[in-house]
Amino acid sequence: MAAGMTDLPPSDQPEIPDAVLVTPTPSVVVAVTAVPGVDPSLTLAGVARQNLAVSSVVLVTGQARRAPSDTLVTAATVEEVVASLGPETDYIWILHGDAEPRPDALAALIDEAERHEASLVGSKLLVAGTRDTLEGLGSATDVFGEPYTGLDEGEVDLEQYDVVRDVAFVSSVSMLVRRDLMRGLRALDRTLPPTAAGLDLSQRVRIAGGRVMVAPSSEVFHHRRCGKGDGGWREQAGRMRAMLKAYRPVTLVWMIPFAAIVGVLDSVGSLLLGRWRLIPRYVLAWGWNVFRLPSTITSRRGLARVRQVGDEELFRYQVRGSVRLRTVGSELADRLIGLFDEDRPMARRATEVWNSAGTWGAVGALVAVVIGVRAVFLGSLPVVGHSLPFADSATTTIGRFLGGWNSAGLGSASAIHPSAGLGAFVQAVLLDNPELARSAVTVAAFIAGVFGLGRLASRLKVGGPGAYLGGVVALFGPAAGVLATGGRWSGLIAIGVLPWALSSVVGSRPKTRRSRLGALGISFFLTGLMAALAPFLALAPLLFALAVRLVGRFPASPLRALAATGAGLITIPYLGTHPSLVVNGVPLPVDPALVALAALVVVSLAGMVAGTWRVSALAGAMAFGGLLLARLTGPEVQVAALAAASVGVGLAVAAALRRHETKSVVSWIAVVGGLSVVVLSLPGLAGGRAGLPPDAWGSNLAFVGLEPDGVQRALLVAPEPSRLPGDSRPGPGFWYRLVDVEGPTLDQAVLPTAGPGDLALRAALDRVVSGATLEPGQVLAEFGIRWVVAVDETASALRPVLDAQVDLEVLPVGETILVYANSSARPVALDDLSRSWDRHGAGYSGPVSGGRVRLAIQGNERWGPDWQSEDWWGTVSAEQGVARYEGDAGGRAVLVPVLVLMLVGAVVAVWGREPYR
C-alpha cells in the first residue's frame, strides 16, 4: 500500500496542545513518622485531602507491628522506605504523625522545589489549635548547631516572613526531599530526635551540593507532641552529633574546645539563674556522643564520598557567636533589672543589700564607668595612638605572638607587643570577632578596675563606698588621662588588672596547703596578665608587698609575689627585641604641673587623714613615684609607671573617703579633698570613649582594604608622632609610618628597630621632598606603597612637592586628610610574571611557577622556600605557591611554658580558693 494512501495530509493531522508537552506531575511517596501516644489519623486524613495525588503513603512505626488498616503500608524506619522506592519516584514527603497539612501544602513544596531546583524544602509550621501562631519557618544555627529561629514565643503569622529563602535547616515535621539524594544520604539518622534529625539531614544535603529552602506557602499545623526540640539532652546530643558528622577536621579542631567552653559558661550562667539541670545535660550529651563515636566516624566517611562543598557553605547560614550564651546573658540581664522592681520577691530579699552604703558606692561607680565607656556599647573604640583594632585573624596574631613574623612597617623578626597576643586569645574565644573582643576586654577591664580598687582598699582596711569612687579616679583621673591622651589602650586595661594583682599578695596567710597553692596560682595568673599589658608592671606586686611589709600592720607575702614575678617572662621576647623602648623612644607627654598637682593631693590627703597614714604613704609612693618615673624613662616604663600612679591616686581617695568613727576637722577636710579629686576626674567620662581621644584613623583608612590587586601599603604622614596610629619615624619635616592592607592593627602598633629597608625608605622620602624627582610614585613603588595619606597640617612640607609631581593622583577621601594614589605601585609580593601574591596567614600565596617571587620586606633566612637577599628586600622560590616564615623556636620556648603555667594558675586558683579575712 502506498504511503500517500495511508497517511493523512499534513494539514489534517491533529495538533498537540502545549499543555500536553509539560513535564508530568512528579511522583511523591509520603512517609508519616508515628509519634508515640498519638493517633496518626489526622495526619493521614490531611494527606488524603491534598489537591495533588501521591503515589503511596507509608506509616513509619519505628518498630515492626501491624498496620492500622489493610490499605496502609508500614515500615520500621524511613531508611527502609527509601530503600524500597524505585526510580519512578521523584520525591519523598516526610510528615510527623502529629502534623496536619493544609490541602495545598504538598503542591506548594513541589512547586518551590521545581522552581528553585532545591533538593530539600520545608514547610511553614503553625501551632495546632491556633489560626496563625508561628512555630517555625526554617532556622539558622550557630556554629555549635544551636537553632536560632528569630521568632518570639507566640508570634503571630502576619506573612512578615513569607519569603522563599535558603536556610540552615528545616524541621523534619514536614520536609520534601529528592528521592535520589535521600537514597545517597541513607535517609534520616534514626538515632536522632526530631529537631536534630532535621538539622543533620539538612546539613548533609547542603554538603552534597543540594539546596535547602523553606516554602512559606506550604502550611502545616503541628500539635508538638513529638517535642519542641528546646534543649533536652537528647536533642542537645543529637545536634552535637550532626555537627561532628558535617564539619571537616580543621573546623572540629577549634569547634570542639569552644563547644566545651560554651557549655561551661552556659552551665555557670544557668546556676546563677537557679537552674542546675543544665550541667547533667551537657555531661549526658558529651557522654552519648563519645559512646556513638564509632558510628559518627562511619557516617563521616560516607558523607566524605558525596561532599561537594566545604564548611564555609554551612557558615553562610549561621549566626555569629553562641545562641546559648546570648540566651543566658539576656536572662541574667533581665534578672539584674528585676532587682530594681520592688514588686518582685527578689527585690524584697535584696532590701538589706541596698541599705548598705557600700552597695550604693559600687552602683554609683558602675554608673560612672558605664557613662565613661558608653561609646563602646553604642559603637566602637576609636582608632588613635596605640588604641588600634585587633587583626582580622586571631590565629595569625597568635602565631606572630609565639615567635612569628612581625609585619609592622617593612617587617621584622621582632616580637609583637604581648597585649596583641592577649587580645588574640580573647578574640579566638569569641569566635574570631575582633571588634567584639576589643570591646569586651575594655568593658571588662574598667568594671574590674572599680571592684579591684575596692578589694585592695578593703585588704588595707580603708574599704567602703569611697573605695569604689577611688576606682573611678584610677580609671579616669589625671594619670590615666595621660595614658588615654597618648592612646595607650593597653595601659588603661592594665589599670583594671593592677589592683587585683596587688591585692593577691596582701592579706592573711591561707590556712591550708591547697589554699596556698590557690593563692599562688591567682597571683601568677594576674601578674602574667598584667605584664602582657604593660611589661614592667610584672615587678609591681613584689615592690608593693615589700612596701606593705615596710610600713607594717598589714600582712603581705613577698615570697608569693617573687614567685609570681616569674610570669613576667612572657615579656622577655618583646623587651629583648625592643630595648630602645625602655630608656628612650618617643615618650608620652607628661605635664610637670600634673606631677606637682598629684604630689600635692596625695601628700595633703596623707597628712590630713588620721589613722590611715600607712595607706596614704603607700598611695603617695605609688602616685608620686610613678609620675616622677614617667618623666625620666622610655615609653614602656612610662606606661607601667602611669598605671601605678593611677592606682595610687585612687587608693589615696579611698583612704580620704573612708567612713571615720569620729568626724574631726582634719577628716572633713580629707573628705572634701577626696571628693574634689573625684570631681576633677569626671571630665574623663565626657566622651564615653574610656577617656581616649576622638577617632582619627578608623574611618579615614577604610579605603585601604578595598584594593583588590594583592597586598599593598599606605604611607601615613603627620606633623607630629601623636597624630599617627601607633609608633612612627621622623622624616624630612614630618613623621611617618607604613600600614598594610588591613590598616593599623594592634599587632603593628610598635615599630621594630630601623633596618636596611627603613633606611632606604627614609632616603627615598628625602629624595622626594628635596624635589629631585617628579615621579615620586616610581620611587615609592619599590616599597609596595599604593597610597600616601597626609594630615592637612603636613602640607607645608609635603604638599608643594606632591602638587608638582606627575604620577600620583589626588583622591577626595576626607576633609582632614590628603590622599594620593600611586598608579605605579607594585604589590608587596610579586612574581617574575608580574602576578601578585595575596596574604596567606603570616605569609603569602600565589600561582605556582618555576620562577621566583619578590617580597618587599626586610626578610631573613627563616623566610622560604629558598630565601635570597637582594638589597634590603629578597626573593623566594615560587615552586610551592607559598612564601612562609619559620617562627622563632626560642620565643616559643619561653612563651608557651609561661602561658601554660598561667592557665594552670587560673585553674589552681579556682580549685584552692579560700576567702581572705
Side-chain angles (χ1 to χ4, degrees), residues 166-243:
D166 292 84
V167 292
F169 79 97
V170 295
S171 173
S172 60
V173 172
S174 173
M175 56 167 56
L176 183 77
V177 197
R178 274 178 29 209
R179 179 203 60 85
D180 56 342
L181 189 59
M182 192 72 158
R183 193 181 185 103
L185 295 176
R186 300 180 63 84
L188 292 172
D189 189 336
R190 70 180 71 179
T191 65
L192 301 183
T195 301
L199 170 63
D200 174 64
L201 179 61
S202 298
Q203 293 200 141
R204 287 187 286 137
V205 167
R206 193 175 296 284
I207 287 173
R211 195 173 181 185
V212 181
M213 306 189 70
V214 64
S217 55
S218 173
E219 297 182 346
V220 174
F221 288 95
H222 187 211
H223 288 274
R224 300 201 281 190
R225 297 289 297 279
C226 60
K228 300 180 183 180
D230 56 356
W233 78 266
R234 286 297 304 275
E235 280 288 356
Q236 205 164 333
R239 292 194 291 269
M240 188 182 301
R241 175 178 167 90
M243 310 315 283

Side-chain angles (χ1 to χ4, degrees), residues 220-602:
V220 174
F221 288 95
H222 187 211
H223 288 274
R224 300 201 281 190
R225 297 289 297 279
C226 60
K228 300 180 183 180
D230 56 356
W233 78 266
R234 286 297 304 275
E235 280 288 356
Q236 205 164 333
R239 292 194 291 269
M240 188 182 301
R241 175 178 167 90
M243 310 315 283
L244 292 175
K245 289 164 62 175
Y247 286 144
R248 282 179 166 167
V250 67
T251 303
L252 292 178
V253 166
W254 63 263
M255 190 277 288
I256 293 176
F258 285 154
I261 293 172
V262 167
V264 171
L265 296 177
D266 189 23
S267 300
V268 171
S270 297
L271 282 176
L272 296 176
L273 293 168
R275 298 195 296 262
W276 61 270
R277 290 185 178 87
L278 203 58
I279 297 177
R281 280 185 180 181
Y282 276 109
V283 173
L284 289 171
W286 281 95
W288 185 86
N289 273 283
V290 171
F291 179 76
R292 296 277 181 179
L293 190 58
S295 64
T296 301
I297 295 174
T298 301
S299 298
R300 284 180 56 85
R301 290 173 179 169
L303 187 57
R305 287 193 291 268
V306 298
R307 181 183 285 272
Q308 299 294 323
V309 297
D311 294 347
E312 60 276 3
E313 184 66 18
L314 301 178
F315 297 155
R316 289 178 56 195
Y317 305 99
Q318 293 176 353
V319 297
R320 303 191 73 169
S322 167
V323 173
R324 301 287 305 185
L325 294 186
R326 286 185 187 180
T327 302
V328 73
S330 177
E331 292 184 33
L332 285 172
D334 290 342
R335 189 71 61 89
L336 181 62
I337 293 173
L339 291 173
F340 299 94
D341 186 350
E342 296 182 354
D343 295 331
R344 298 193 181 189
M346 181 175 291
R348 291 196 294 272
R349 290 196 299 269
T351 300
E352 185 176 348
V353 175
W354 290 113
N355 285 334
S356 168
T359 300
W360 286 107
V363 170
L366 282 177
V367 169
V369 168
V370 170
I371 294 173
V373 298
R374 62 187 183 277
V376 180
F377 295 102
L378 301 178
S380 60
L381 282 163
V383 179
V384 59
H386 283 234
S387 173
L388 303 178
F390 295 172
D392 289 339
S393 172
T395 304
T396 300
T397 305
I398 291 173
R400 291 172 178 168
F401 171 60
L402 297 177
W405 184 249
N406 186 344
S407 62
L410 290 170
S412 77
S414 302
I416 66 173
H417 197 284
S419 63
L422 169 65
F425 281 110
V426 177
Q427 180 179 339
V429 172
L430 296 178
L431 305 181
D432 219 3
N433 187 323
E435 195 57 45
L436 175 61
R438 188 176 176 225
S439 299
V441 170
T442 304
V443 173
F446 272 70
I447 294 176
V450 168
F451 288 100
L453 204 290
R455 183 183 182 88
L456 179 61
S458 178
R459 295 280 176 89
L460 298 175
K461 310 303 181 186
V462 290
Y468 300 108
L469 295 180
V472 176
V473 171
L475 293 164
F476 297 97
V482 177
L483 289 172
T485 302
R488 295 284 174 164
W489 174 84
S490 63
L492 295 175
I493 304 303
I495 295 175
V497 182
L498 180 56
W500 291 94
L502 299 182
S503 64
S504 72
V505 297
V506 178
S508 58
R509 185 174 184 268
K511 297 179 181 179
T512 65
R513 180 180 299 176
R514 175 172 174 172
S515 59
R516 286 194 290 272
L517 286 174
L520 177 60
I522 192 62
S523 294
F524 193 91
F525 174 77
L526 290 172
T527 301
L529 190 65
M530 189 171 55
L533 296 163
F536 283 94
L537 281 181
L539 300 173
L542 177 60
L543 296 176
F544 188 75
L546 292 174
V548 171
R549 279 292 185 89
L550 181 64
V551 300
R553 185 179 179 184
F554 307 113
S557 178
L559 289 178
R560 188 193 311 151
L562 179 62
T565 304
L569 291 173
I570 197 174
T571 67
I572 293 300
Y574 171 71
L575 293 178
T577 53
H578 296 83
S580 63
L581 298 179
V582 179
V583 294
N584 51 38
V586 180
L588 293 171
V590 182
D591 189 349
L594 175 64
V595 179
L597 174 63
L600 177 64
V601 169
V602 174

Side-chain angles (χ1 to χ4, degrees), residues 66-80:
R66 296 178 58 187
S69 68
D70 296 335
T71 60
L72 188 61
V73 180
T74 64
T77 63
V78 175
E79 187 174 4
E80 182 180 318

